[in-house]
Amino acid sequence: MAAKKLRRAKLPQELCERLSRHQITTCQDFLCLSLLELMKVTGQSYSNVQKLLCKVSLACAPKMQTAYEMKVRRTVNPSSAFLSTSLHCLDKVLHGGVPCGSLTEITSPPGCGKTQFCIMMSVLATLPISMGGLDGAVIYIDTESAFSAERLVEIAESRFPAYFDSDEKLFSMTRSIHLYRELTCGSVLKRIKSLEEEIISKKVKLIIIDSVASVVRKEFDPKLQGNLTERSNFLAKGASLLKYLAEEFSIPV
Amino acid sequence: MQRDVGTLPLAPALRARLAAAGFQTAQELLDTGPCGLSTEVGISKEEALEVLQVVRQECPGEAPRAAAVSRRCTALELLEQEQGQGFIITFCSALDGILGGGVQLTKITEICGAPGVGKTQLCMQLAVDVQIPECFGGLAGEAVFIDTEGSFMVDRVADIAAACVQHCQLIAEAHQEEDYLKALETFSLESILSHIYYFRCRDYIELLAQVYLLPDFLSEHSKVRLVVIDGIAFPFRHDFEDLSLRTRLLNGLAQQLIIMANDHKAAVVLTNQMTTRIGQNHSTLVPALGESWGHAATVRLIFHWDNNQRLATLYKSPSQKESTIPYNVTPHGFRDVQPPAVTQNPDGTEMNPRKRPRREEEK
């Protein structure tokens, strides 16, 4: 939204050309300047600049919705609100399961079962909606190389023996879980950026990143001075991208 | 009327031409008239007329100044205004107490705290509380919720709203008055939810754009009494190489919010994150966005943990004393720690909502 070009914001053509001579081409550049600077650059009067500002803001601003509309949307489609974890008590505490459309973080000391939980959630997401799943593909970004496909099949078979009775069903389930092994922060960020198209093409319904901390700790030594800001920059960028994906497609992350 | 031509809000090219033609003060422009202006400066007659209109607007001269231009009024008028002003209660009487009655209108209140301590909960509670009808002691207003972090959960707001409606129903049943029951008809879950206007801003440009458009929105929806920006720090903390630009944008934002709060008599509530300041051999948690941002908010609340108890500290306020109180976040929303003593008001004359009996609903 910020990188929207000014001419698509319905500003007149000569104005856009004039602004581009001052290296102002996107809405972001326009809104970052103060009123006086804008007057100087556009050569317009005060009230005109305010009107232009409103026009550009309208092009960038988010749409309004009332809380009531959001609630109605959620009640109309209750299955799309949560992904049940199939653990009854956990679902009760979480008010229905892992929420769709927002980030959920699982933390614990090593060996408690985070990766096992992630593997189980991947199986659950591929199940059809009638069985409490999301009937979609899963993107699994693995930074610790802890994902074991055999364990995945084992979980699927012992947990839902009635459903996975044939090899064919197992194959289709494993085919819909896309695994990406990333070992550096940079590659994780690049992968997250490329996810948008993949989500649409493969009909992904769940994104799992296992785990964020391991790759960040490997690369950023907190004792070095500049690293803290770089690390928080990376984390914040990754978090906002993931939030955008989660909300845009209404999927749990 | 001796105002310099260079200070008028005209297009820079026009100003340059006027200066080149030798005009120095606004009075000279007015004396020349539009036709003379157009021949001397070489602009069209319509442009000359526009220039004169701008001049007249800016320098009325003998005419009395427009009320909107001068914000001068006596302290007595301000006192009367402030006393008549309502507060937005938080449903936690201790917090209302240290704030002097609740969240004040026309002021910016900033809530800082570590993640998970209850900032968004309080914001959601306030968005519901601002809509309480006047007979129950509320403001009967509407709320604008600008979300930058995506932490607005509709189901949670529905729970809080249901608890609030139930609370008001209990009061109405106890007192059995006509206007209470009438107000309750309009104060329902659907109406509460449909008067919370929600905007989801993904980055700082969308936030800036939205704040530019807010004054027009508030003029259209004149009943809005609360603007919540949940997460003002989040879009500004990452992806910003130029710190001076960030400070400038934040200051501009603060200015616009103050103007908006004053013009529309609305309360502005912002939530901020905490950052670690690394000292000599220890580190402390301080509110994010730097020292200069600390001057933007009028009232500052800091939420923090102490073992398992959540505490709220009033860190900065022009009229109240600095103090700390505990609070709780219950399934019904933001509440006190212990239920205060339940006392009935038999005479019914005391309708002051801050002293009305609070009953703990059975879970």
Side-chain angles (χ1 to χ4, degrees):
Chain A
M1 268 295 158
K4 193 165 176 176
K5 297 281 182 199
L6 283 175
R7 51 189 142 77
R8 285 194 288 131
K10 299 198 180 65
L11 285 186
Q13 184 67 11
E14 341 83 60
L15 195 61
C16 293
E17 282 168 22
R18 184 171 178 156
L19 290 170
S20 57
R21 260 180 273 141
H22 293 267
Q23 270 97 46
I24 303 174
T25 44
T26 63
C27 292
Q28 184 167 350
D29 305 326
F30 194 85
L31 286 174
C32 279
L33 296 174
S34 71
L35 271 174
L36 287 177
E37 285 173 3
L38 280 175
M39 277 176 70
K40 195 167 69 164
V41 161
T42 58
Q44 305 262 347
S45 70
Y46 187 72
S47 46
N48 271 352
V49 166
Q50 279 191 317
K51 284 192 210 130
L52 278 176
L53 213 52
C54 275
K55 236 198 225 172
V56 174
S57 305
L58 269 172
C60 291
K63 207 169 53 95
M64 194 263 292
Q65 32 179 332
T66 65
Y68 186 54
E69 292 166 11
M70 293 168 66
K71 175 107 169 77
V72 161
R73 234 181 300 146
R74 276 175 98 94
T75 43
V76 153
N77 207 351
S79 65
S80 73
F82 292 102
L83 169 61
S84 150
T85 61
S86 80
L87 299 167
H88 188 60
C89 304
L90 188 58
D91 279 346
K92 216 161 52 148
V93 168
L94 287 176
H95 231 281
V98 172
C100 291
S102 44
L103 289 171
T104 310
E105 186 185 14
I106 304 167
T107 60
S108 75
C112 278
K114 299 188 291 291
T115 308
Q116 301 299 311
F117 185 75
C118 292
I119 297 180
M120 193 182 75
M121 294 303 285
S122 347
V123 173
L124 287 174
T126 53
L127 292 179
I129 298 185
S130 53
M131 289 183 68
L134 293 175
D135 194 25
V138 176
I139 289 189
Y140 197 109
I141 301 182
D142 190 5
T143 63
E144 296 175 329
S145 305
F147 187 86
S148 149
E150 281 186 11
R151 179 73 181 131
L152 175 73
V153 169
E154 198 185 340
I155 291 182
E157 276 181 341
S158 33
R159 200 63 195 271
F160 304 103
Y163 182 69
F164 289 110
D165 47 6
S166 68
D167 276 346
E168 196 191 294
K169 288 238 180 77
L170 278 176
F171 284 155
S172 71
M173 189 248 327
T174 48
R175 247 203 306 268
S176 49
I177 300 187
H178 305 277
L179 181 70
Y180 298 101
R181 283 222 169 87
E182 310 290 346
L183 293 170
T184 64
C185 288
S187 58
V188 169
L189 205 54
K190 232 178 15 172
R191 175 64 60 196
I192 298 180
K193 283 186 191 154
S194 71
L195 276 184
E196 194 170 345
E197 295 176 11
E198 305 222 1
I199 296 178
I200 304 179
S201 61
K202 296 184 184 143
K203 295 207 205 352
V204 170
K205 287 284 192 283
L206 172 66
I207 301 179
I208 298 181
I209 302 193
D210 179 18
S211 66
V212 161
S214 69
V215 66
V216 164
R217 281 174 139 171
K218 267 190 287 188
E219 274 190 38
F220 294 111
D221 182 3
K223 291 199 199 63
L224 291 180
Q225 261 309 39
N227 271 354
L228 261 185
T229 40
E230 265 198 56
R231 186 174 85 160
S232 28
N233 258 344
F234 161 74
L235 286 172
K237 234 187 282 207
S240 59
L241 277 172
L242 288 173
K243 277 200 217 218
Y244 165 70
L245 289 174
E247 285 178 11
E248 189 65 35
F249 298 104
S250 277
I251 56 178
V253 174
Chain B
M1 288 309 268
Q2 295 306 308
R3 186 162 164 181
D4 196 34
V5 162
T7 64
L8 291 172
L10 297 167
L14 207 49
R15 270 188 302 197
R17 289 169 97 156
L18 288 173
F23 287 101
Q24 277 184 336
T25 65
Q27 186 64 41
E28 286 178 23
L29 288 177
L30 283 178
D31 287 338
T32 318
C35 297
L37 209 56
S38 69
T39 38
E40 279 204 38
V41 182
I43 53 178
S44 72
K45 292 206 178 65
E46 289 81 14
E47 282 185 350
L49 190 59
E50 268 181 41
V51 168
L52 287 177
Q53 279 170 347
V54 167
V55 171
R56 280 208 193 91
Q57 221 179 4
E58 290 293 316
C59 327
E62 290 89 41
R65 291 197 84 126
V69 179
S70 135
R71 294 176 195 279
R72 208 180 46 200
C73 58
T74 66
L76 180 63
E77 291 169 23
L78 268 179
L79 182 64
E80 287 167 10
Q81 243 177 29
E82 275 180 28
Q83 278 179 342
Q85 222 167 62
F87 295 89
I88 307 178
I89 61 168
T90 61
F91 261 88
C92 169
S93 52
L95 191 58
D96 288 339
I98 63 170
L99 284 174
V103 172
Q104 266 183 312
L105 296 183
T106 73
K107 300 247 183 327
I108 300 189
T109 308
E110 187 180 354
I111 307 174
C112 319
V117 78
K119 309 186 287 290
T120 310
Q121 297 296 311
L122 180 59
C123 291
M124 296 199 275
Q125 181 76 57
L126 288 173
V128 170
D129 288 347
V130 75
Q131 304 190 38
I132 297 180
E134 277 162 5
C135 52
F136 293 107
L139 293 172
E142 303 174 352
V144 167
F145 200 104
I146 300 180
D147 191 4
T148 58
E149 298 173 341
S151 39
F152 185 79
M153 295 273 125
V154 190
D155 304 314
R156 179 66 176 145
V157 179
D159 286 344
I160 295 180
C164 186
V165 170
Q166 207 185 16
H167 193 113
C168 292
Q169 271 171 349
L170 284 176
I171 298 180
E173 275 165 33
H175 294 282
Q176 286 295 335
E177 280 192 25
E178 267 305 313
D179 40 343
Y180 280 16
L181 299 167
K182 211 166 54 139
L184 266 184
E185 283 167 31
T186 47
F187 189 60
S188 67
L189 189 59
E190 290 83 29
S191 78
I192 299 180
L193 287 182
S194 33
H195 290 308
I196 299 180
Y197 304 109
Y198 177 76
F199 297 89
R200 174 78 170 94
C201 294
R202 301 254 161 79
D203 52 32
Y204 71 95
I205 290 295
E206 286 188 20
L207 181 63
L208 283 178
Q210 189 55 51
V211 174
Y212 275 127
L213 294 176
L214 260 187
D216 293 329
F217 186 83
L218 290 185
S219 315
E220 279 170 40
H221 299 84
S222 55
K223 287 185 74 180
V224 171
R225 287 283 170 273
L226 174 67
V227 175
V228 177
I229 302 187
D230 189 6
I232 192 135
F234 185 66
F236 285 101
R237 281 187 88 182
H238 65 97
D239 227 6
F240 242 108
E241 305 85 25
D242 188 2
L243 277 184
S244 56
L245 177 67
R246 183 178 96 167
T247 319
R248 195 170 58 136
L249 288 179
L250 280 174
N251 284 336
L253 208 60
Q255 279 295 86
Q256 282 172 317
L257 290 173
I258 293 177
I259 294 176
M260 207 164 48
N262 266 318
D263 284 345
H264 295 99
K265 289 217 175 10
V268 177
V269 174
L270 313 170
T271 56
N272 200 357
Q273 295 172 345
M274 301 293 267
T275 182
T276 325
R277 180 184 294 165
I278 302 176
Q280 231 65 348
N281 41 6
H282 61 276
S283 61
T284 47
L285 277 182
V286 296
L289 293 182
E291 288 293 324
S292 48
W293 177 250
H295 300 290
T298 320
V299 177
R300 222 178 198 187
L301 276 173
I302 299 195
F303 286 2
H304 51 109
W305 290 92
D306 181 16
N307 295 334
N308 267 333
Q309 179 59 52
R310 300 171 200 255
L311 298 173
T313 305
L314 185 66
Y315 191 69
K316 172 185 174 192
S317 163
S319 51
Q320 303 296 323
K321 175 172 83 142
E322 189 175 314
S323 41
T324 307
I325 50 109
Y327 67 89
N328 252 351
V329 178
T330 66
H332 299 288
F334 213 77
R335 294 287 187 275
D336 277 310
V337 168
Q338 296 108 10
V342 177
T343 47
Q344 266 287 39
N345 238 333
D347 47 344
T349 52
E350 178 109 74
M351 282 300 114
N352 194 338
R354 295 175 211 130
K355 298 204 183 77
R356 70 170 182 267
R358 292 182 205 270
R359 282 177 248 203
E360 277 297 311
E361 290 92 7
E362 272 83 51
K363 286 211 189 140

